[in-house]
Amino acid sequence: MSRLIVVSNRVPLPAKNGAASAGGLAVALQSALAARGGLWLGWSGKICSDEPVGPLTMLKDGNIEYALTDLTDLDVEEYYQGFANRVLWPICHYRLDLAEYGRREMTGYFRVNQFFASRLLPLIQKDDVIWIHDYHLIPLAEELRRQGVKNRIGFFLHIPWPAPDVFLAMPVHDELLKSLTAYDVIGFQTRQDRENFAACLARQNIGERLGEEEFSAAGRTFIARPYPIGIETDEFAKLARQAGNTTLHKRMRQSLDGKELIIGVDRLDYSKGITQRIDAFETFLTRHPDYQRKVTLLQITPKSRSEVPEYEAMQKTVAEQAGRVNGALGTVDWVPIRYVNRSLRRPALAGLYRMAKVALVTPLRDGMNLVAKEFVAAQDEDDPGVLLLSRFAGAAHELKEAMLVNPYDVEGTADVIARSLAMPRDERQARWKSMMATVRENNVFTWCDTFLGDLAGDEAPEGVEQPRLKRVSR
Ligand code: F6P
């Protein structure tokens, strides 16, 4: 097997004490790297004020090397906070109204991609396969090709690819589309994302579609395929089963005092539909007063990207909204919404998912949404909770037995909350069983195996199985 190089904006370093804090994606990629030996390159998260940026920080863990680069203030401002998070992120999440396009940020984005290429170039060996992740690094392969790199290079987009009318509203759409044709494999979360991408190419007359998944452009061929990302299903289910004995679990049960728990877990991001969700919860309580004092919504929302103005503004909006609902409907001994801005460790989260009767996963747009899959994995098969899921999350393409909602329809969502809480056990079990089978089958290791199999580019000879990934122990 060839050596693997992974490149992503952030690099999840292995936890020093082996704690199970890393998400499934990090574990799967670390497993892939460990299986063949490899290198993971990305931003160290550090910002330096002096130029030029110092040498890479190299760390080693078994046969995985981590290569971390600092970025300058200007890099972070233009590339990460600017073009990636104020242009690409809102556009890919259908929020043209929030896109703040500026040439300075766009130039910074391409410049930092060139910089990543220059950092990676000396580390590449002849047979390495290179796997680049997410919207921060779209032009990276093109930069590498320009410098003569002939290796197989794949790209996986973790967020949605929007419809052409939305994507093409971005001034540099052609540069980005053309740069993607430098990859050998382009992965999307869903078929719909791939079709949106294909429609953008067709609309702009870039290349040619040779088949459902094969394309050609500028004398090269590449494939574009959906690879729905999954979680470490069995591991997460185990964490949830074990959580019952923890102090947090017991304290939470005690504090609920017999009330039903509804749970929402999201980064504080406008794409997650948190304000619409709180509106829906308020409408549900108002329309179904019998449930007042009988249910509690626990909304766990760690702050994110606080340096970006839209995110900073949202912190205030959501906190005020939760406070208003609590003030209007709460009583001396009941707080309808518990709103928490800190992140929880995975075992604690798994236990809370298992305790919840309903999960509200209602993004306005989401590439996949792994909270939906984790909630399913965490359930007790004898008495599973109900997943209420936005039809605009990538996960809705797979988890069809969830209670699908349109999060823009606040009253409709409120009705589905009521139906979910009242759902009989046999229906909950039937829905859960089918979703769990999907979450088990399309787990994060399958995702990684399938993508890397395609990136290897060679079909296994008949009767010979491709090597499967094994979890690395943490
Ligand atoms: O979902 C896209 C993504 O970039 C993830 O890869 C990442 O974990 C998350 O958003 C958080 O974003 P940031 O790295 O900007 O904090």
Side-chain angles (χ1 to χ4, degrees):
M1 260 192 292
S2 316
R3 191 175 78 135
L4 175 64
I5 296 182
V6 172
V7 190
S8 58
N9 178 53
R10 288 193 196 269
V11 180
L13 296 176
K16 285 203 184 74
N17 55 4
S21 56
L25 170 67
V27 173
L29 289 175
Q30 277 155 355
S31 300
L33 287 161
R36 45 181 86 208
L39 175 78
W40 195 330
L41 181 133
W43 178 30
S44 61
K46 292 191 193 127
I47 303 175
C48 60
S49 34
D50 308 329
E51 274 199 74
V53 172
L56 288 169
T57 304
M58 302 297 296
L59 304 169
K60 203 157 167 55
D61 182 45
N63 59 351
I64 309 179
E65 265 191 302
Y66 293 89
L68 307 172
T69 181
D70 297 349
L71 292 175
T72 68
D73 285 331
L74 193 71
D75 289 341
V76 175
E77 192 190 319
E78 295 178 349
Y79 144 84
Y80 172 72
Q81 291 160 9
F83 194 76
N85 284 326
R86 294 194 85 192
V87 181
L88 284 172
W89 181 273
I91 284 183
C92 290
H93 290 85
Y94 288 76
R95 291 299 303 269
L96 272 175
D97 58 318
L98 296 181
E100 285 286 333
Y101 175 80
R103 289 206 180 164
R104 187 168 72 86
E105 286 74 15
M106 183 271 290
T107 310
Y109 176 79
F110 282 92
R111 183 188 69 244
V112 172
N113 270 271
Q114 266 167 19
F115 174 67
F116 269 106
S118 70
R119 300 242 97 170
L120 184 58
L121 203 59
L123 305 176
I124 300 174
Q125 296 165 12
K126 190 168 152 277
D127 293 322
D128 289 346
V129 294
I130 304 170
W131 190 1
I132 294 166
H133 288 260
D134 231 354
Y135 60 103
H136 314 89
L137 301 173
I138 292 173
L140 187 50
E142 189 182 37
E143 287 303 332
L144 292 169
R145 299 274 183 236
R146 220 171 259 154
Q147 319 247 13
V149 173
K150 300 264 187 307
N151 302 50
R152 302 273 298 171
I153 313 182
F155 175 77
F156 185 77
L157 183 70
H158 290 253
I159 66 174
W161 187 283
D165 280 343
V166 177
F167 188 78
L168 299 176
M170 180 173 44
V172 278
H173 49 73
D174 271 10
E175 286 83 340
L176 289 172
L177 283 169
K178 283 182 185 149
S179 72
L180 276 165
T181 67
Y183 289 96
D184 296 294
V185 177
I186 307 173
F188 295 97
Q189 297 278 20
T190 66
R191 196 168 172 277
Q192 182 183 313
D193 296 319
R194 195 270 311 280
E195 287 309 311
N196 285 341
F197 167 69
C200 288
L201 290 180
R203 183 91 77 86
Q204 295 308 102
N205 255 320
I206 298 172
E208 200 186 331
R209 190 165 190 170
L210 307 174
E212 193 188 339
E213 304 183 326
E214 298 84 34
F215 297 78
S216 75
R220 316 183 63 258
T221 57
F222 61 95
I223 66 166
R225 252 186 99 175
Y227 302 87
I229 197 166
I231 59 166
E232 267 186 300
T233 311
D234 292 333
E235 177 72 12
F236 201 80
K238 191 165 135 207
L239 284 181
R241 279 195 305 275
Q242 290 169 344
N245 303 322
T246 62
T247 322
L248 177 106
H249 197 90
K250 288 180 190 147
R251 269 180 23 222
M252 184 68 194
R253 271 242 175 277
Q254 213 171 22
S255 77
L256 280 173
D257 193 22
K259 295 178 191 65
E260 300 286 12
L261 177 65
I262 301 182
I263 194 164
V265 179
D266 317 77
R267 269 188 316 104
L268 188 58
D269 192 299
Y270 49 78
S271 64
K272 303 292 183 186
I274 301 170
T275 55
Q276 289 81 353
R277 183 183 311 168
I278 294 178
D279 280 346
F281 184 63
E282 183 184 16
T283 305
F284 153 74
L285 287 175
T286 316
R287 285 190 176 180
H288 300 270
D290 286 359
Y291 275 111
Q292 292 189 17
R293 309 189 61 204
K294 298 216 175 71
V295 292
T296 294
L297 167 62
L298 172 63
Q299 178 63 48
I300 300 173
T301 305
K303 291 182 183 168
S304 81
R305 303 177 191 164
S306 305
E307 321 74 27
V308 178
E310 291 74 26
Y311 289 76
E312 199 195 353
M314 222 197 127
Q315 291 177 12
K316 196 160 168 265
T317 313
V318 180
E320 280 177 3
Q321 190 192 11
R324 188 188 54 72
V325 175
N326 284 340
L329 297 175
T331 59
V332 287
D333 58 351
W334 172 59
V335 179
I337 305 173
R338 298 187 191 178
Y339 179 57
V340 179
N341 277 144
R342 60 171 70 190
S343 56
L344 295 188
R345 295 186 62 227
R346 294 175 66 69
L349 214 45
L352 291 173
Y353 286 142
R354 193 175 176 92
M355 200 185 289
K357 184 97 187 175
V358 175
L360 303 183
V361 182
T362 55
L364 304 177
R365 197 59 67 169
D366 214 333
M368 175 52 66
N369 198 301
L370 295 180
V371 168
K373 294 188 172 181
E374 288 176 352
F375 178 77
V376 171
Q379 296 311 299
D380 173 357
E381 62 183 302
D382 289 333
D383 190 16
V386 178
L387 173 63
L388 195 150
L389 178 62
S390 163
R391 55 181 68 255
F392 305 123
H397 293 246
E398 290 171 87
L399 305 179
K400 300 204 192 301
E401 302 78 11
M403 296 295 279
L404 295 179
V405 295
N406 175 349
Y408 294 98
D409 177 8
V410 166
E411 291 169 279
T413 306
D415 288 348
V416 179
I417 295 176
R419 277 181 50 212
S420 301
L421 282 168
M423 190 182 286
R425 189 157 80 148
D426 52 354
E427 184 180 347
R428 284 188 275 127
Q429 281 177 319
R431 287 176 182 268
W432 173 79
K433 219 172 156 191
S434 165
M435 290 192 286
M436 186 60 174
T438 308
V439 174
R440 271 222 167 91
E441 195 179 330
N442 298 347
N443 61 56
V444 75
F445 299 104
T446 335
W447 167 79
C448 205
D449 270 349
T450 318
F451 189 96
L452 288 174
D454 285 350
L455 188 55
D458 40 30
E459 280 173 20
E462 231 168 278
V464 177
E465 287 221 349
Q466 291 275 47
R468 310 288 299 175
L469 292 178
K470 279 217 289 315
R471 264 188 86 246
V472 283
S473 54
R474 286 184 263 175

